Amino acid sequence: GENVEQHPSTLSVQEGDSAVIKCTYSDSASNYFPWYKQELGKRPQLIIDIRSNVGEKKDQRIAVTLNKTAKHFSLHITETQPEDSAVYFCAAGDSNYQLIWGAGTKLIIKP
Amino acid sequence: NAGVTQTPKFQVLKTGQSMTLQCAQDMNHEYMSWYRQDPGMGLRLIHYSVGAGITDQGEVPNGYNVSRSTTEDFPLRLLSAAPSQTSVYFCASSPNLGSGSEAFFGQGTRLTVV
């Protein structure tokens, strides 16, 4: 079955700097790669997603890149702000209706 | 729209007790799922449903049952609670079939089994 690995588990960056979180997946049939943000005590919420026919997608300060050959995808956050502090999860999904999730990255924005 | 509503928000059970976590959505989504979230392990799929009358197992189905008698409701039943089922449970729904579209989550249920 699918396995998703996410690194790092904790990331601390200075406010205004960029943050990059990486995920690798094992199943070449996976074709949908979302990223979710979860603030403390809250529910996960989708921030950006990408499908396997696209290499990069941007939405203001966040972007996701996908390398299908290497089976990895990354979340990039530029000009980080205090409200970016949260746990971020990647996931991989295919036509079997199941999303497999990474273990999460705790992002800390230092003032 | 209320979105996805889960009840209760907190629950403490004794080992061996049974209970049902309720989940309802008012977005007419076909796909619904239940996850458990444990520290350092992300979200793990317990069961899912692609429509009324259809359910299937996810990664960690043992000890849990589900049913989908209507499009709106997708309850999760713990048959005989064990301490290993202490976790935060999230229900989610999606407008399209499952893994290829945004999942809308309920607010979560924090379950402690003593």
Side-chain angles (χ1 to χ4, degrees):
Chain A
E2 174 68 279
N3 182 52
V4 176
E5 294 189 357
Q6 183 172 347
H7 300 280
S9 56
T10 304
L11 178 61
S12 183
V13 301
Q14 207 69 39
E15 183 179 347
D17 288 350
S18 295
V20 180
I21 303 170
K22 299 181 180 182
C23 288
T24 60
Y25 62 98
S26 60
D27 189 350
S28 56
S30 291
N31 53 23
Y32 177 66
F33 307 94
W35 286 89
Y36 283 78
K37 176 183 180 182
Q38 186 177 30
E39 297 176 349
L40 189 62
K42 301 284 184 66
R43 70 194 80 187
Q45 292 190 297
L46 180 72
I47 54 171
I48 196 167
D49 58 10
I50 192 168
R51 299 183 188 277
S52 58
N53 57 347
V54 176
E56 183 177 4
K57 183 176 179 181
K58 287 183 180 179
D59 183 3
Q60 299 182 344
R61 295 187 298 108
I62 60 173
V64 56
T65 58
L66 171 65
N67 183 326
K68 282 200 67 180
T69 303
K71 295 183 193 166
H72 66 71
F73 56 112
S74 300
L75 176 72
H76 305 254
I77 305 174
T78 59
E79 301 172 11
T80 53
Q81 301 170 2
E83 54 265 36
D84 295 329
S85 293
V87 178
Y88 291 81
F89 292 96
C90 64
D94 61 17
S95 58
N96 289 328
Y97 313 126
Q98 297 192 36
L99 269 178
I100 304 299
W101 296 69
T105 296
K106 184 176 182 179
L107 178 61
I108 300 166
I109 307 300
K110 296 181 291 186
Chain B
N1 287 351
V4 180
T5 303
Q6 272 182 253
T7 55
K9 197 167 184 179
F10 300 97
Q11 183 71 49
V12 178
L13 287 179
K14 293 183 179 178
T15 298
Q17 286 185 315
S18 62
M19 79 160 294
T20 299
L21 306 185
Q22 302 291 343
C23 177
Q25 54 94 6
D26 61 359
M27 298 175 283
N28 201 33
H29 288 171
E30 290 296 325
Y31 184 90
M32 296 186 74
S33 53
W34 275 101
Y35 291 93
R36 60 178 289 172
Q37 183 174 36
D38 302 294
M41 299 187 71
L43 289 147
R44 291 184 292 168
L45 183 66
I46 304 171
H47 285 284
Y48 65 96
S49 168
V50 299
I54 306 169
T55 63
D56 208 343
Q57 296 181 351
E59 295 174 84
V60 289
N62 292 342
Y64 308 94
N65 274 355
V66 292
S67 60
R68 186 91 180 272
S69 56
T70 67
T71 298
E72 294 77 20
D73 300 299
F74 190 45
L76 177 73
R77 280 183 288 278
L78 278 70
L79 309 173
S80 177
S84 60
Q85 294 179 304
T86 293
S87 187
V88 178
Y89 291 83
F90 284 99
C91 177
S93 72
S94 299
N96 300 317
L97 285 180
S99 63
S101 61
E102 179 176 0
F104 294 85
F105 286 85
Q107 73 269 35
T109 297
R110 185 173 294 275
L111 175 68
T112 303
V113 182
V114 298

PDB file of all heavy atoms in Angstrom, chain B residues 74-104:
ATOM      1  N   PHE B  74     -23.058   9.600   9.105  1.00  0.00           N
ATOM      2  CA  PHE B  74     -22.046   8.542   9.012  1.00  0.00           C
ATOM      3  C   PHE B  74     -21.511   8.285  10.419  1.00  0.00           C
ATOM      4  O   PHE B  74     -20.432   8.736  10.804  1.00  0.00           O
ATOM      5  CB  PHE B  74     -20.929   8.983   8.065  1.00  0.00           C
ATOM      6  CG  PHE B  74     -19.952   7.905   7.699  1.00  0.00           C
ATOM      7  CD1 PHE B  74     -20.377   6.639   7.347  1.00  0.00           C
ATOM      8  CD2 PHE B  74     -18.584   8.172   7.668  1.00  0.00           C
ATOM      9  CE1 PHE B  74     -19.475   5.644   6.984  1.00  0.00           C
ATOM     10  CE2 PHE B  74     -17.671   7.187   7.305  1.00  0.00           C
ATOM     11  CZ  PHE B  74     -18.117   5.919   6.965  1.00  0.00           C
ATOM     12  N   PRO B  75     -22.246   7.546  11.244  1.00  0.00           N
ATOM     13  CA  PRO B  75     -21.813   7.305  12.625  1.00  0.00           C
ATOM     14  C   PRO B  75     -20.701   6.258  12.710  1.00  0.00           C
ATOM     15  O   PRO B  75     -20.650   5.318  11.910  1.00  0.00           O
ATOM     16  CB  PRO B  75     -23.096   6.799  13.301  1.00  0.00           C
ATOM     17  CG  PRO B  75     -23.902   6.208  12.180  1.00  0.00           C
ATOM     18  CD  PRO B  75     -23.585   7.019  10.960  1.00  0.00           C
ATOM     19  N   LEU B  76     -19.847   6.423  13.709  1.00  0.00           N
ATOM     20  CA  LEU B  76     -18.747   5.484  13.982  1.00  0.00           C
ATOM     21  C   LEU B  76     -19.009   4.830  15.327  1.00  0.00           C
ATOM     22  O   LEU B  76     -19.167   5.523  16.331  1.00  0.00           O
ATOM     23  CB  LEU B  76     -17.409   6.231  14.027  1.00  0.00           C
ATOM     24  CG  LEU B  76     -16.176   5.399  14.382  1.00  0.00           C
ATOM     25  CD1 LEU B  76     -15.789   4.488  13.208  1.00  0.00           C
ATOM     26  CD2 LEU B  76     -14.999   6.309  14.741  1.00  0.00           C
ATOM     27  N   ARG B  77     -19.034   3.518  15.335  1.00  0.00           N
ATOM     28  CA  ARG B  77     -19.302   2.782  16.574  1.00  0.00           C
ATOM     29  C   ARG B  77     -18.054   2.094  17.081  1.00  0.00           C
ATOM     30  O   ARG B  77     -17.371   1.387  16.314  1.00  0.00           O
ATOM     31  CB  ARG B  77     -20.402   1.749  16.359  1.00  0.00           C
ATOM     32  CG  ARG B  77     -21.802   2.350  16.384  1.00  0.00           C
ATOM     33  CD  ARG B  77     -22.856   1.259  16.240  1.00  0.00           C
ATOM     34  NE  ARG B  77     -22.873   0.735  14.873  1.00  0.00           N
ATOM     35  CZ  ARG B  77     -23.504   1.316  13.862  1.00  0.00           C
ATOM     36  NH1 ARG B  77     -24.181   2.435  14.058  1.00  0.00           N
ATOM     37  NH2 ARG B  77     -23.485   0.778  12.658  1.00  0.00           N
ATOM     38  N   LEU B  78     -17.766   2.326  18.366  1.00  0.00           N
ATOM     39  CA  LEU B  78     -16.713   1.578  19.039  1.00  0.00           C
ATOM     40  C   LEU B  78     -17.388   0.415  19.751  1.00  0.00           C
ATOM     41  O   LEU B  78     -18.248   0.621  20.599  1.00  0.00           O
ATOM     42  CB  LEU B  78     -15.972   2.453  20.052  1.00  0.00           C
ATOM     43  CG  LEU B  78     -14.873   3.370  19.509  1.00  0.00           C
ATOM     44  CD1 LEU B  78     -15.481   4.500  18.696  1.00  0.00           C
ATOM     45  CD2 LEU B  78     -14.005   3.882  20.625  1.00  0.00           C
ATOM     46  N   LEU B  79     -16.998  -0.780  19.435  1.00  0.00           N
ATOM     47  CA  LEU B  79     -17.706  -1.960  19.894  1.00  0.00           C
ATOM     48  C   LEU B  79     -17.401  -2.292  21.353  1.00  0.00           C
ATOM     49  O   LEU B  79     -18.293  -2.592  22.131  1.00  0.00           O
ATOM     50  CB  LEU B  79     -17.358  -3.140  18.996  1.00  0.00           C
ATOM     51  CG  LEU B  79     -17.528  -2.847  17.488  1.00  0.00           C
ATOM     52  CD1 LEU B  79     -17.000  -3.997  16.659  1.00  0.00           C
ATOM     53  CD2 LEU B  79     -18.974  -2.542  17.170  1.00  0.00           C
ATOM     54  N   SER B  80     -16.124  -2.257  21.713  1.00  0.00           N
ATOM     55  CA  SER B  80     -15.681  -2.563  23.080  1.00  0.00           C
ATOM     56  C   SER B  80     -14.402  -1.756  23.286  1.00  0.00           C
ATOM     57  O   SER B  80     -13.323  -2.193  22.888  1.00  0.00           O
ATOM     58  CB  SER B  80     -15.424  -4.059  23.232  1.00  0.00           C
ATOM     59  OG  SER B  80     -14.923  -4.347  24.532  1.00  0.00           O
ATOM     60  N   ALA B  81     -14.543  -0.582  23.882  1.00  0.00           N
ATOM     61  CA  ALA B  81     -13.443   0.377  23.935  1.00  0.00           C
ATOM     62  C   ALA B  81     -12.206  -0.186  24.633  1.00  0.00           C
ATOM     63  O   ALA B  81     -12.298  -0.885  25.660  1.00  0.00           O
ATOM     64  CB  ALA B  81     -13.901   1.657  24.628  1.00  0.00           C
ATOM     65  N   ALA B  82     -11.052   0.159  24.077  1.00  0.00           N
ATOM     66  CA  ALA B  82      -9.762  -0.244  24.641  1.00  0.00           C
ATOM     67  C   ALA B  82      -8.895   1.009  24.792  1.00  0.00           C
ATOM     68  O   ALA B  82      -9.066   1.976  24.035  1.00  0.00           O
ATOM     69  CB  ALA B  82      -9.081  -1.247  23.719  1.00  0.00           C
ATOM     70  N   PRO B  83      -7.951   1.003  25.739  1.00  0.00           N
ATOM     71  CA  PRO B  83      -7.082   2.168  25.921  1.00  0.00           C
ATOM     72  C   PRO B  83      -6.364   2.574  24.639  1.00  0.00           C
ATOM     73  O   PRO B  83      -6.080   3.768  24.432  1.00  0.00           O
ATOM     74  CB  PRO B  83      -6.103   1.698  27.006  1.00  0.00           C
ATOM     75  CG  PRO B  83      -6.895   0.728  27.815  1.00  0.00           C
ATOM     76  CD  PRO B  83      -7.752  -0.005  26.813  1.00  0.00           C
ATOM     77  N   SER B  84      -6.074   1.613  23.749  1.00  0.00           N
ATOM     78  CA  SER B  84      -5.397   1.921  22.487  1.00  0.00           C
ATOM     79  C   SER B  84      -6.273   2.765  21.558  1.00  0.00           C
ATOM     80  O   SER B  84      -5.781   3.297  20.554  1.00  0.00           O
ATOM     81  CB  SER B  84      -5.002   0.624  21.770  1.00  0.00           C
ATOM     82  OG  SER B  84      -6.165  -0.149  21.488  1.00  0.00           O
ATOM     83  N   GLN B  85      -7.557   2.894  21.872  1.00  0.00           N
ATOM     84  CA  GLN B  85      -8.449   3.717  21.063  1.00  0.00           C
ATOM     85  C   GLN B  85      -8.543   5.156  21.569  1.00  0.00           C
ATOM     86  O   GLN B  85      -9.283   5.960  21.001  1.00  0.00           O
ATOM     87  CB  GLN B  85      -9.838   3.080  20.990  1.00  0.00           C
ATOM     88  CG  GLN B  85      -9.831   1.765  20.239  1.00  0.00           C
ATOM     89  CD  GLN B  85     -11.194   1.103  20.172  1.00  0.00           C
ATOM     90  OE1 GLN B  85     -11.832   0.855  21.197  1.00  0.00           O
ATOM     91  NE2 GLN B  85     -11.654   0.799  18.971  1.00  0.00           N
ATOM     92  N   THR B  86      -7.770   5.457  22.587  1.00  0.00           N
ATOM     93  CA  THR B  86      -7.649   6.848  23.031  1.00  0.00           C
ATOM     94  C   THR B  86      -7.017   7.645  21.901  1.00  0.00           C
ATOM     95  O   THR B  86      -5.920   7.329  21.443  1.00  0.00           O
ATOM     96  CB  THR B  86      -6.789   6.937  24.295  1.00  0.00           C
ATOM     97  OG1 THR B  86      -7.486   6.308  25.378  1.00  0.00           O
ATOM     98  CG2 THR B  86      -6.492   8.393  24.648  1.00  0.00           C
ATOM     99  N   SER B  87      -7.726   8.675  21.439  1.00  0.00           N
ATOM    100  CA  SER B  87      -7.272   9.400  20.256  1.00  0.00           C
ATOM    101  C   SER B  87      -8.210  10.579  20.028  1.00  0.00           C
ATOM    102  O   SER B  87      -9.205  10.757  20.721  1.00  0.00           O
ATOM    103  CB  SER B  87      -7.283   8.472  19.034  1.00  0.00           C
ATOM    104  OG  SER B  87      -6.692   9.093  17.914  1.00  0.00           O
ATOM    105  N   VAL B  88      -7.868  11.369  19.007  1.00  0.00           N
ATOM    106  CA  VAL B  88      -8.793  12.379  18.510  1.00  0.00           C
ATOM    107  C   VAL B  88      -9.365  11.859  17.203  1.00  0.00           C
ATOM    108  O   VAL B  88      -8.606  11.439  16.310  1.00  0.00           O
ATOM    109  CB  VAL B  88      -8.097  13.737  18.288  1.00  0.00           C
ATOM    110  CG1 VAL B  88      -9.091  14.749  17.732  1.00  0.00           C
ATOM    111  CG2 VAL B  88      -7.500  14.238  19.595  1.00  0.00           C
ATOM    112  N   TYR B  89     -10.683  11.862  17.091  1.00  0.00           N
ATOM    113  CA  TYR B  89     -11.361  11.319  15.917  1.00  0.00           C
ATOM    114  C   TYR B  89     -11.948  12.463  15.092  1.00  0.00           C
ATOM    115  O   TYR B  89     -12.598  13.367  15.616  1.00  0.00           O
ATOM    116  CB  TYR B  89     -12.471  10.358  16.349  1.00  0.00           C
ATOM    117  CG  TYR B  89     -11.936   9.104  16.964  1.00  0.00           C
ATOM    118  CD1 TYR B  89     -11.577   9.051  18.310  1.00  0.00           C
ATOM    119  CD2 TYR B  89     -11.739   7.960  16.190  1.00  0.00           C
ATOM    120  CE1 TYR B  89     -11.049   7.897  18.877  1.00  0.00           C
ATOM    121  CE2 TYR B  89     -11.220   6.808  16.739  1.00  0.00           C
ATOM    122  CZ  TYR B  89     -10.873   6.787  18.089  1.00  0.00           C
ATOM    123  OH  TYR B  89     -10.335   5.641  18.631  1.00  0.00           O
ATOM    124  N   PHE B  90     -11.699  12.394  13.794  1.00  0.00           N
ATOM    125  CA  PHE B  90     -12.232  13.373  12.872  1.00  0.00           C
ATOM    126  C   PHE B  90     -13.092  12.680  11.817  1.00  0.00           C
ATOM    127  O   PHE B  90     -12.688  11.674  11.243  1.00  0.00           O
ATOM    128  CB  PHE B  90     -11.120  14.127  12.156  1.00  0.00           C
ATOM    129  CG  PHE B  90     -10.432  15.160  12.994  1.00  0.00           C
ATOM    130  CD1 PHE B  90      -9.218  14.870  13.596  1.00  0.00           C
ATOM    131  CD2 PHE B  90     -10.986  16.415  13.176  1.00  0.00           C
ATOM    132  CE1 PHE B  90      -8.570  15.823  14.376  1.00  0.00           C
ATOM    133  CE2 PHE B  90     -10.352  17.372  13.953  1.00  0.00           C
ATOM    134  CZ  PHE B  90      -9.135  17.074  14.562  1.00  0.00           C
ATOM    135  N   CYS B  91     -14.239  13.267  11.580  1.00  0.00           N
ATOM    136  CA  CYS B  91     -15.075  12.887  10.462  1.00  0.00           C
ATOM    137  C   CYS B  91     -14.839  13.900   9.348  1.00  0.00           C
ATOM    138  O   CYS B  91     -14.581  15.090   9.630  1.00  0.00           O
ATOM    139  CB  CYS B  91     -16.546  12.901  10.890  1.00  0.00           C
ATOM    140  SG  CYS B  91     -17.722  12.544   9.583  1.00  0.00           S
ATOM    141  N   ALA B  92     -14.900  13.458   8.096  1.00  0.00           N
ATOM    142  CA  ALA B  92     -14.689  14.362   6.972  1.00  0.00           C
ATOM    143  C   ALA B  92     -15.622  13.992   5.832  1.00  0.00           C
ATOM    144  O   ALA B  92     -16.034  12.829   5.707  1.00  0.00           O
ATOM    145  CB  ALA B  92     -13.245  14.318   6.504  1.00  0.00           C
ATOM    146  N   SER B  93     -15.955  14.978   5.008  1.00  0.00           N
ATOM    147  CA  SER B  93     -16.740  14.694   3.813  1.00  0.00           C
ATOM    148  C   SER B  93     -16.109  15.406   2.623  1.00  0.00           C
ATOM    149  O   SER B  93     -15.401  16.407   2.790  1.00  0.00           O
ATOM    150  CB  SER B  93     -18.197  15.145   3.992  1.00  0.00           C
ATOM    151  OG  SER B  93     -18.309  16.546   3.975  1.00  0.00           O
ATOM    152  N   SER B  94     -16.355  14.867   1.428  1.00  0.00           N
ATOM    153  CA  SER B  94     -15.815  15.436   0.200  1.00  0.00           C
ATOM    154  C   SER B  94     -16.895  15.454  -0.869  1.00  0.00           C
ATOM    155  O   SER B  94     -17.712  14.541  -0.935  1.00  0.00           O
ATOM    156  CB  SER B  94     -14.629  14.615  -0.316  1.00  0.00           C
ATOM    157  OG  SER B  94     -13.572  14.592   0.602  1.00  0.00           O
ATOM    158  N   PRO B  95     -16.866  16.475  -1.724  1.00  0.00           N
ATOM    159  CA  PRO B  95     -17.921  16.576  -2.736  1.00  0.00           C
ATOM    160  C   PRO B  95     -17.818  15.535  -3.835  1.00  0.00           C
ATOM    161  O   PRO B  95     -18.824  15.151  -4.419  1.00  0.00           O
ATOM    162  CB  PRO B  95     -17.720  17.993  -3.306  1.00  0.00           C
ATOM    163  CG  PRO B  95     -16.303  18.335  -3.004  1.00  0.00           C
ATOM    164  CD  PRO B  95     -15.967  17.630  -1.732  1.00  0.00           C
ATOM    165  N   ASN B  96     -16.597  15.114  -4.138  1.00  0.00           N
ATOM    166  CA  ASN B  96     -16.418  14.132  -5.197  1.00  0.00           C
ATOM    167  C   ASN B  96     -15.964  12.825  -4.588  1.00  0.00           C
ATOM    168  O   ASN B  96     -15.800  12.712  -3.390  1.00  0.00           O
ATOM    169  CB  ASN B  96     -15.406  14.641  -6.222  1.00  0.00           C
ATOM    170  CG  ASN B  96     -15.877  15.928  -6.851  1.00  0.00           C
ATOM    171  OD1 ASN B  96     -17.036  16.056  -7.190  1.00  0.00           O
ATOM    172  ND2 ASN B  96     -14.988  16.881  -6.958  1.00  0.00           N
ATOM    173  N   LEU B  97     -15.691  11.873  -5.440  1.00  0.00           N
ATOM    174  CA  LEU B  97     -15.346  10.564  -4.905  1.00  0.00           C
ATOM    175  C   LEU B  97     -13.965  10.589  -4.279  1.00  0.00           C
ATOM    176  O   LEU B  97     -12.965  10.376  -4.947  1.00  0.00           O
ATOM    177  CB  LEU B  97     -15.454   9.509  -6.000  1.00  0.00           C
ATOM    178  CG  LEU B  97     -16.886   9.127  -6.339  1.00  0.00           C
ATOM    179  CD1 LEU B  97     -16.931   8.082  -7.426  1.00  0.00           C
ATOM    180  CD2 LEU B  97     -17.636   8.651  -5.116  1.00  0.00           C
ATOM    181  N   GLY B  98     -13.963  10.875  -2.981  1.00  0.00           N
ATOM    182  CA  GLY B  98     -12.864  10.578  -2.103  1.00  0.00           C
ATOM    183  C   GLY B  98     -11.573  11.323  -2.285  1.00  0.00           C
ATOM    184  O   GLY B  98     -11.473  12.511  -2.017  1.00  0.00           O
ATOM    185  N   SER B  99     -10.551  10.625  -2.735  1.00  0.00           N
ATOM    186  CA  SER B  99      -9.202  11.109  -2.511  1.00  0.00           C
ATOM    187  C   SER B  99      -8.825  12.258  -3.428  1.00  0.00           C
ATOM    188  O   SER B  99      -7.800  12.875  -3.222  1.00  0.00           O
ATOM    189  CB  SER B  99      -8.207   9.960  -2.679  1.00  0.00           C
ATOM    190  OG  SER B  99      -8.249   9.479  -4.000  1.00  0.00           O
ATOM    191  N   GLY B 100      -9.640  12.566  -4.402  1.00  0.00           N
ATOM    192  CA  GLY B 100      -9.238  13.586  -5.360  1.00  0.00           C
ATOM    193  C   GLY B 100      -9.872  14.941  -5.162  1.00  0.00           C
ATOM    194  O   GLY B 100      -9.848  15.763  -6.069  1.00  0.00           O
ATOM    195  N   SER B 101     -10.422  15.195  -3.972  1.00  0.00           N
ATOM    196  CA  SER B 101     -11.041  16.495  -3.749  1.00  0.00           C
ATOM    197  C   SER B 101     -10.897  16.888  -2.279  1.00  0.00           C
ATOM    198  O   SER B 101     -10.571  16.060  -1.433  1.00  0.00           O
ATOM    199  CB  SER B 101     -12.520  16.471  -4.137  1.00  0.00           C
ATOM    200  OG  SER B 101     -13.227  15.540  -3.351  1.00  0.00           O
ATOM    201  N   GLU B 102     -11.170  18.141  -1.992  1.00  0.00           N
ATOM    202  CA  GLU B 102     -10.974  18.666  -0.658  1.00  0.00           C
ATOM    203  C   GLU B 102     -11.821  17.934   0.358  1.00  0.00           C
ATOM    204  O   GLU B 102     -13.009  17.683   0.134  1.00  0.00           O
ATOM    205  CB  GLU B 102     -11.326  20.152  -0.616  1.00  0.00           C
ATOM    206  CG  GLU B 102     -11.162  20.782   0.764  1.00  0.00           C
ATOM    207  CD  GLU B 102     -11.425  22.271   0.769  1.00  0.00           C
ATOM    208  OE1 GLU B 102     -11.742  22.827  -0.296  1.00  0.00           O
ATOM    209  OE2 GLU B 102     -11.314  22.876   1.852  1.00  0.00           O
ATOM    210  N   ALA B 103     -11.207  17.608   1.486  1.00  0.00           N
ATOM    211  CA  ALA B 103     -11.918  17.009   2.605  1.00  0.00           C
ATOM    212  C   ALA B 103     -12.290  18.103   3.599  1.00  0.00           C
ATOM    213  O   ALA B 103     -11.438  18.895   4.004  1.00  0.00           O
ATOM    214  CB  ALA B 103     -11.049  15.956   3.288  1.00  0.00           C
ATOM    215  N   PHE B 104     -13.571  18.159   3.959  1.00  0.00           N
ATOM    216  CA  PHE B 104     -14.050  19.118   4.956  1.00  0.00           C
ATOM    217  C   PHE B 104     -14.215  18.353   6.266  1.00  0.00           C
ATOM    218  O   PHE B 104     -14.957  17.364   6.326  1.00  0.00           O
ATOM    219  CB  PHE B 104     -15.392  19.708   4.519  1.00  0.00           C
ATOM    220  CG  PHE B 104     -15.291  20.561   3.288  1.00  0.00           C
ATOM    221  CD1 PHE B 104     -15.339  19.989   2.026  1.00  0.00           C
ATOM    222  CD2 PHE B 104     -15.132  21.928   3.390  1.00  0.00           C
ATOM    223  CE1 PHE B 104     -15.235  20.763   0.886  1.00  0.00           C
ATOM    224  CE2 PHE B 104     -15.034  22.722   2.251  1.00  0.00           C
ATOM    225  CZ  PHE B 104     -15.081  22.137   1.000  1.00  0.00           C
TER     226      PHE B 104
END
